[in-house]
Amino acid sequence: PVHAAPCEIVIFGASGDLTRRKVIPALFNLHQQGILPPRTRITGFARSEMTNAAFAESLREFARRFASSFTTPGWETFAERLRYFSGAYDDPAAFRAFAAREEGDCPECPGGCGIGRLFYLATPPDAFASIAKNLKDIAAEQERLLQSVNEANAKRTDVLEDQRRLIGCLAY
């Protein structure tokens, strides 16, 4: 069994196609295989207004269609991991509210436990810089290390320039 510290995977662009067709089915498969540590939660961040329950329900059919190991009981336990936060990618106040939410949202650690977070940018490239800047500012305020993963469309010729801009936004 995996005995990892609590972790949160934050998916920016959580209501988008990449998240629904690829990211969530892949994470669900890891859950089903017992590879995703038990205390890992998955938080979607997007502009659409939605509750945690509505977010989970919006993903269910995509997991059924695209995950290789879908079962209803498996989905029900996986859905307990899911959270949702609505905010604009270019709004520093939304990121501050998100940071405040995440500190008090760990049931095992009232008052915050400093859990590790991985930020996955499943957004269009034009949102990368705003997200990166806001994450960097929050990380600096909280004196935390910042890790992120972003999807790059290999068919585009300007991917390298997008990556350079993103690195520039993340640099302290």
Side-chain angles (χ1 to χ4, degrees), residues 5-82:
C7 173
E8 181 177 35
I9 300 169
V10 180
I11 305 168
F12 289 92
S15 59
D17 193 57
L18 176 62
T19 299
R20 293 186 307 229
R21 292 177 179 263
K22 300 289 184 182
V23 179
I24 290 298
L27 291 171
F28 178 74
N29 285 335
L30 292 174
H31 167 81
Q32 287 290 85
Q33 296 165 14
I35 297 171
L36 198 61
R39 297 190 296 168
T40 298
R41 65 181 175 200
I42 300 161
T43 302
F45 187 118
R47 294 171 293 204
S48 306
E49 290 287 334
M50 199 176 323
T51 65
N52 291 341
F55 178 57
E57 191 55 37
S58 75
L59 299 172
R60 182 186 190 107
E61 185 56 33
F62 288 94
R64 182 187 315 273
R65 287 176 48 203
F66 297 108
S68 61
S69 59
F70 187 86
T71 66
T72 297
W75 177 258
E76 289 169 359
T77 59
F78 180 77
E80 293 172 5
R81 298 174 180 265
L82 298 174

Side-chain angles (χ1 to χ4, degrees), residues 52-133:
N52 291 341
F55 178 57
E57 191 55 37
S58 75
L59 299 172
R60 182 186 190 107
E61 185 56 33
F62 288 94
R64 182 187 315 273
R65 287 176 48 203
F66 297 108
S68 61
S69 59
F70 187 86
T71 66
T72 297
W75 177 258
E76 289 169 359
T77 59
F78 180 77
E80 293 172 5
R81 298 174 180 265
L82 298 174
R83 307 282 184 279
Y84 187 82
F85 186 87
S86 176
Y89 304 138
D90 61 351
D91 181 6
F95 281 76
R96 282 191 295 280
F98 180 74
R101 177 236 32 118
E102 65 187 30
E103 283 305 310
D105 194 30
C106 180
E108 293 146 8
C109 311
C113 58
I115 66 175
R117 289 181 179 83
L118 178 121
F119 298 99
Y120 191 104
L121 281 63
T123 62
D126 62 353
F128 291 174
S130 293
I131 294 168
K133 180 187 181 321

